[in-house]
Amino acid sequence: MISYVKGELIETSYDQIVVETGGIGYNIMIPGLDYALLPAIGSEIKVYTYFAVREDAMLLFGFLDRDEKEMFKMLLSVSGIGPKNAMAILSALSPDDLRFAILQQDAKAISKAPGVGSKSAQRIILELKDKIHLEDAFEKKAQKASDSSTAIPHTSAMDEAVMALTALGYGSTESLKAVAKVEITEDMKTDQILSLALKHLL
């Protein structure tokens, strides 16, 4: 119904903001991680929104980029996960971190979100693992880093580097994130990626 709201930032708090446009102030719920990224009061802001209707309320959820909104909608597709749970998860994990946690079946990382137990975390992994791919996670990270449509060229060497880091004792999510930080070219070998990724872990 409402794709986004663009206007003046009037009020902020940890989990919600007020944006005024056309003489109307929209109260918008936001993930906790977005609070630190908000501009100053009085600045213009564009918030991508999701409109939710309940029996007792109509709520507007907002996100600072489309990727975050899409991840929110993906979480809502999981049985038993409502807007409150989805916002709690995105307040504890960035979309990138959540992708990596799902790909590596790291239920412990997801269950750190308030109100999200181990069973819910496992259900999220089960229902979303086939909808998220490793190359997608790297591509999203590249797009954010460069603010362009240029993606990291995904290669088997990247997957091998992640597996090598895991074999060295690093966590799976931690290993994925380290490899994602490496500026990778198509001709890079596994040992080169591994060496550069280790620098982000030491």
Side-chain angles (χ1 to χ4, degrees):
M1 180 179 179
I2 303 175
S3 180
Y4 65 84
V5 174
K6 185 177 182 180
E8 182 181 353
L9 183 62
I10 302 298
E11 297 177 16
T12 66
S13 65
Y14 176 72
D15 61 354
Q16 58 185 303
I17 59 176
V18 175
V19 178
E20 182 179 333
T21 181
I24 300 174
Y26 293 89
N27 189 78
I28 306 171
M29 311 295 290
I30 62 169
L33 292 179
D34 281 355
Y35 178 72
L37 303 176
L38 293 172
I41 296 291
S43 300
E44 183 177 76
I45 187 173
K46 183 177 182 179
V47 185
Y48 297 93
T49 55
Y50 179 90
F51 185 61
V53 179
R54 302 188 325 203
E55 290 184 3
D56 58 344
M58 291 186 291
L59 302 172
L60 200 57
F61 297 89
F63 311 92
L64 296 184
D65 62 57
R66 285 194 182 94
D67 182 37
E68 199 172 32
K69 177 181 175 180
E70 290 307 309
M71 184 57 70
F72 176 79
K73 290 166 64 178
M74 191 173 287
L75 285 169
L76 292 183
S77 72
V78 177
S79 57
I81 300 297
K84 184 177 180 180
N85 295 129
M87 289 297 276
I89 292 169
L90 290 175
S91 292
L93 296 168
S94 70
D96 286 328
D97 290 340
L98 180 56
R99 283 191 190 90
F100 293 142
I102 292 170
L103 287 168
Q104 291 301 303
Q105 301 186 38
D106 190 352
K108 185 176 180 181
I110 299 173
S111 62
K112 288 180 180 179
V116 180
S118 178
K119 289 184 178 180
S120 293
Q122 292 286 359
R123 191 182 309 116
I124 289 169
I125 291 170
L126 179 65
E127 296 188 26
L128 297 184
K129 65 181 181 179
D130 292 331
K131 299 179 181 179
I132 296 174
H133 305 286
L134 183 59
E135 54 267 34
D136 294 336
F138 282 124
E139 181 179 347
K140 293 293 186 182
K141 207 163 187 69
Q143 288 175 353
K144 289 182 181 180
S146 63
D147 195 28
S148 73
S149 59
T150 302
I152 295 173
H154 183 259
T155 66
S156 59
M158 295 167 67
D159 295 340
E160 291 169 1
V162 171
M163 289 187 286
L165 288 172
T166 304
L168 289 172
Y170 293 100
S172 54
T173 302
E174 185 181 23
S175 299
L176 279 163
K177 290 170 66 177
V179 172
K181 291 178 181 178
V182 176
E183 294 184 12
I184 298 171
T185 58
E186 291 183 9
D187 59 348
M188 287 182 73
K189 305 298 184 184
T190 300
D191 58 342
Q192 295 174 303
I193 299 173
L194 180 60
S195 177
L196 292 171
L198 280 168
K199 293 180 180 180
H200 294 290
L201 293 169
L202 300 177

